[in-house]
Amino acid sequence: MVFFLPLFFLPFSGAIYSSDVLSKVFLLSLILPVFLLVEIIKNTKKEYFIFYLTKIDFLLLMFFLFSLASILFSVNKYNSIYGAYQFANIPFVAIYVLALFYAMLRYKIKDKQEVYSYLRYLIVLYFVSSLASFVGILFLENTFFIRYLRLALANSHDISIFLSVLTILFFSITSSKEFSREIFKNKTFLYFTRLAVFFSLIVLVSINFVYSWFVLLFGAIIIFCFRVKIYQKEKEQGNHSKRPLIFQVLLFLFALNYLLNFFIVYKDASLDNYLANYRQLDTGHTWQIVFSNLKENTFFGIGLENFDYAFSKYRPASMNNAVNWDLRYERTGSFFQDILICGGILLGFVLLFIVFLFLQRLKKHAKSLQKNPDLFTILLSISLLLFLMFFVNFNFNLLFIFIVLIALFVSAERGDDKKFIYYKINTSNAQRVIPFLIIGFLIVLYIVFNLKMIKIVYSNFILSKTDFSQESLIQADLLEEDRYEYKLRLAKIFAKKSIESSEAGQKDLSLKYEEKSLAYISEATKYHPE
């Protein structure tokens, strides 16, 4: 069920400018800690409890810890933890639940057959997502369905990137005949996946987002090179087929055609202006904000989910001459830039080390492509996502796919990668208390965290039913007292009532409303002084 998380949402979500991230986080926070607790309790009965990390595990742990540390230096700690108002992209709670999910996968997957099973789950997710996007974008654009689709998968260019990466995953699987047979043991399953490719390509043409074509183009080139090498080996064995080669060539031509078409259609407008349609600031202006911010907030940034603060403070003067000068941008030019602004240079270096480590893995496994087609398949998709993070901003769903693929790769590579950290806990002596301390900590964290998430979900439910009325805002403010935006809305409501009462000659009532308005403004500035 967890593998279909990108499709999960709550209809009453408060998200407007992003997918329903907090509902996805809430679902994972309810399920995953219970699983981990059960597994830790089981391990206390064993003689030894073994804990180890590979280099990739260690770098992901560092990313988690530096993300946590950035909260201490955040200009708005509540935003950093739970996401910006009506726009939660990847707050710390999302990183926390994805870290739990990664730990679960790393513990759960014992052999390559289980890796193949999880790849099948991803393909089923691909089919359902492509079908929903096909129906929603082409036939139900002006209905409630498209609102739900965006709550699940976010805006159209995020959907486009999501489907293009999964399309390449499918083609890389089919590039090896033996590996394809392992994954698609059921022919009906294969036919449904081909149907998903058809749906996805139609959606990609409809959206026409340039980076999706780059993903398909580069992916098709790499798969074709890989397939040629495999083809020579299969030909020597008398067990070859030209059809997969034809499919890769067709995919390449298809992507190239629409990539060229994109630049022809938008020849009079820059790519940056095209991206502005999605409220994503162009990379050039974002880099100016990055450098300005790093001068003042070098090591830990301004805290996750606070790009709006950086944009307001460091907005380049050159933007006054831009076509979209008056647009309020909500996303950075790329995920890497977002990390540098919000997480600082330390988090940025961790991300670069992860890129470097996977480039090493790609070079290593390129020498044994036919022997390990599964590693190639997963590595290719990871590499494309690493490439994309320098050009587009990831949302929760893309990061979810990224984390799943890394967990599958590390598990498939089991035995090839040396353990970077290895620790054995002897449960028969004094060290036995360590697992129980972990259990106690997780139980407390589970209760506190989910009580807070219940309040957030319930406040969204209240506001959705009453359209931000005074009464609902007061209730929501009590549930989320750190959310300064509720206080500002209430301040505006009471300020308006103060003016209306003054015009009606009710000076005492007007003064009362004015005092309430000023009180809410004062409270708002406590939580967000800027």
Side-chain angles (χ1 to χ4, degrees):
M1 182 178 71
V2 174
F3 262 75
F4 299 99
L5 186 70
L7 298 170
F8 179 76
F9 65 92
L10 293 176
F12 53 81
S13 168
I16 292 179
Y17 306 110
S18 65
S19 63
D20 186 13
V21 173
L22 291 180
S23 295
K24 299 176 194 291
V25 168
F26 185 41
L27 179 64
L28 279 184
S29 68
L30 286 174
I31 297 172
L32 295 182
V34 174
F35 169 82
L36 289 174
L37 281 171
V38 170
E39 294 303 320
I40 291 172
I41 291 170
K42 285 181 181 177
N43 275 279
T44 58
K45 298 177 181 179
K46 297 180 181 179
E47 186 177 352
Y48 293 102
F49 182 77
I50 298 174
F51 172 81
Y52 71 90
L53 298 174
T54 65
K55 289 179 182 178
I56 295 173
D57 296 331
F58 177 74
L59 285 175
L60 291 177
L61 177 61
M62 289 297 100
F63 187 89
F64 175 82
L65 293 176
F66 282 136
S67 297
L68 180 62
S70 72
I71 296 173
L72 300 175
F73 301 88
S74 175
V75 296
N76 187 330
K77 292 180 174 58
Y78 194 80
N79 274 9
S80 294
I81 298 171
Y82 297 104
Y85 179 59
Q86 296 184 326
F87 183 81
N89 194 36
I90 306 177
F92 181 75
V93 290
I95 294 174
Y96 159 68
V97 294
L98 287 175
L100 287 181
F101 186 50
Y102 180 82
M104 183 201 77
L105 288 177
R106 289 284 289 112
Y107 179 83
K108 188 76 175 173
I109 301 173
K110 303 297 183 183
D111 55 45
K112 285 196 174 184
Q113 287 303 318
E114 290 187 5
V115 172
Y116 299 161
S117 296
Y118 287 116
L119 281 174
R120 293 186 193 102
Y121 291 143
L122 281 181
I123 291 170
V124 174
L125 171 64
Y126 175 45
F127 174 77
V128 179
S129 302
S130 63
L131 177 59
S133 302
F134 176 78
V135 173
I137 293 174
L138 270 70
F139 302 106
L140 301 173
E141 179 66 33
N142 298 316
T143 67
F144 70 91
F145 184 85
I146 201 69
R147 158 71 174 158
Y148 292 161
L149 180 66
R150 285 170 180 162
L151 280 177
L153 296 173
N155 61 46
S156 57
H157 84 275
D158 285 329
I159 292 172
S160 181
I161 293 293
F162 185 78
L163 293 179
S164 63
V165 170
L166 291 178
T167 298
I168 289 299
L169 179 67
F170 166 73
F171 274 100
S172 59
I173 290 172
T174 56
S175 62
S176 170
K177 199 172 183 179
E178 291 183 5
F179 185 43
S180 181
R181 284 174 177 171
E182 280 285 342
I183 300 298
F184 299 105
K185 292 180 179 179
N186 188 318
K187 290 292 182 183
T188 305
F189 185 39
L190 177 60
Y191 296 143
F192 271 103
T193 311
R194 287 173 179 170
L195 192 59
V197 173
F198 170 76
F199 290 147
S200 295
L201 293 179
I202 297 297
V203 170
L204 295 182
V205 170
S206 176
I207 296 172
N208 195 26
F209 184 54
V210 62
Y211 286 115
S212 298
W213 301 125
F214 274 122
V215 169
L216 293 185
L217 189 67
F218 294 153
I221 292 171
I222 297 170
I223 292 170
F224 180 79
C225 296
F226 168 70
R227 179 59 199 155
V228 167
K229 188 171 181 179
I230 294 292
Y231 177 77
Q232 296 298 329
K233 296 286 185 181
E234 290 178 347
K235 191 174 181 180
E236 292 172 6
Q237 300 169 0
N239 184 31
H240 63 286
S241 170
K242 292 184 179 179
R243 282 188 301 169
L245 277 173
I246 296 171
F247 291 145
Q248 271 86 65
V249 171
L250 289 175
L251 181 64
F252 168 80
L253 294 174
F254 187 84
L256 182 62
N257 171 63
Y258 279 96
L259 188 61
L260 292 174
N261 176 65
F262 171 87
F263 286 110
I264 291 170
V265 172
Y266 293 94
K267 62 182 178 182
D268 296 325
S270 68
L271 174 61
D272 296 335
N273 288 336
Y274 175 69
L275 293 176
N277 292 329
Y278 300 100
R279 299 208 167 215
Q280 178 178 319
L281 185 60
D282 63 272
T283 52
H285 284 122
T286 306
W287 276 121
Q288 292 181 51
I289 294 175
V290 169
F291 295 134
S292 298
N293 179 65
L294 286 178
K295 288 177 184 178
E296 297 183 22
N297 308 283
T298 307
F299 296 106
F300 294 100
I302 56 173
L304 303 174
E305 297 286 282
N306 284 316
F307 176 66
D308 61 333
Y309 170 86
F311 180 77
S312 299
K313 186 174 182 179
Y314 305 111
R315 183 181 183 274
S318 58
M319 286 197 68
N320 294 330
N321 301 319
V323 175
N324 303 289
W325 64 272
D326 59 338
L327 192 63
R328 179 71 181 180
Y329 289 93
E330 294 151 359
R331 306 178 79 181
T332 57
S334 70
F335 179 65
F336 181 64
Q337 291 174 323
D338 190 56
I339 289 300
L340 287 175
I341 291 171
C342 299
I345 202 166
L346 292 177
L347 204 57
F349 274 132
V350 171
L351 204 55
L352 288 176
F353 278 126
I354 291 173
V355 173
F356 175 73
L357 200 58
F358 274 105
L359 288 177
Q360 278 190 324
R361 291 290 191 277
L362 197 59
K363 182 180 178 182
K364 173 185 174 182
H365 293 294
K367 298 175 183 178
S368 56
L369 292 178
Q370 190 180 22
K371 184 181 177 182
N372 297 305
D374 52 342
L375 293 177
F376 165 78
T377 292
I378 302 170
L379 258 180
L380 174 58
S381 298
I382 291 173
S383 301
L384 288 173
L385 285 168
L386 289 172
F387 162 77
L388 282 171
M389 78 176 187
F390 291 99
F391 299 98
V392 299
N393 204 324
F394 281 17
N395 66 355
F396 181 85
N397 294 332
L398 276 178
L399 199 60
F400 174 84
I401 294 295
F402 186 54
I403 288 297
V404 169
L405 290 171
I406 291 178
L408 294 182
F409 174 78
V410 175
S411 300
E413 202 187 32
R414 192 187 298 270
D416 294 337
D417 189 22
K418 294 180 181 179
K419 297 174 179 61
F420 188 63
I421 295 175
Y422 184 90
Y423 186 65
K424 182 188 287 188
I425 300 173
N426 188 344
T427 57
S428 61
N429 55 32
Q431 289 180 321
R432 187 182 180 88
V433 73
I434 295 177
F436 288 101
L437 288 175
I438 296 172
I439 291 169
F441 173 75
L442 287 176
I443 289 173
V444 172
L445 184 64
Y446 180 80
I447 294 170
V448 172
F449 182 80
N450 282 300
L451 283 175
K452 182 63 178 178
M453 290 305 300
I454 288 170
K455 288 182 178 180
I456 292 173
V457 171
Y458 185 56
S459 69
N460 282 334
F461 175 74
I462 292 170
L463 293 172
S464 70
K465 295 297 181 183
T466 56
D467 196 26
F468 291 90
S469 67
Q470 177 185 318
E471 292 74 18
S472 64
L473 280 167
I474 291 173
Q475 281 186 280
D477 182 53
L478 291 172
L479 291 167
E480 291 187 83
E481 62 179 15
D482 297 312
R483 183 70 76 189
Y484 76 94
E485 290 90 349
Y486 295 156
K487 303 180 194 304
L488 290 180
R489 278 180 176 262
L490 285 166
K492 288 180 181 179
I493 289 173
F494 285 113
K496 184 180 178 181
K497 285 189 173 185
S498 175
I499 294 170
E500 291 172 349
S501 299
S502 178
E503 291 174 349
Q506 298 173 313
K507 292 185 178 180
D508 290 340
L509 188 59
S510 175
L511 184 60
K512 180 182 177 182
Y513 286 140
E514 183 182 348
E515 289 175 352
K516 283 188 176 182
S517 178
L518 291 173
Y520 275 116
I521 290 173
S522 177
E523 285 184 40
T525 55
K526 289 179 184 177
Y527 294 103
H528 192 55
E530 302 294 336

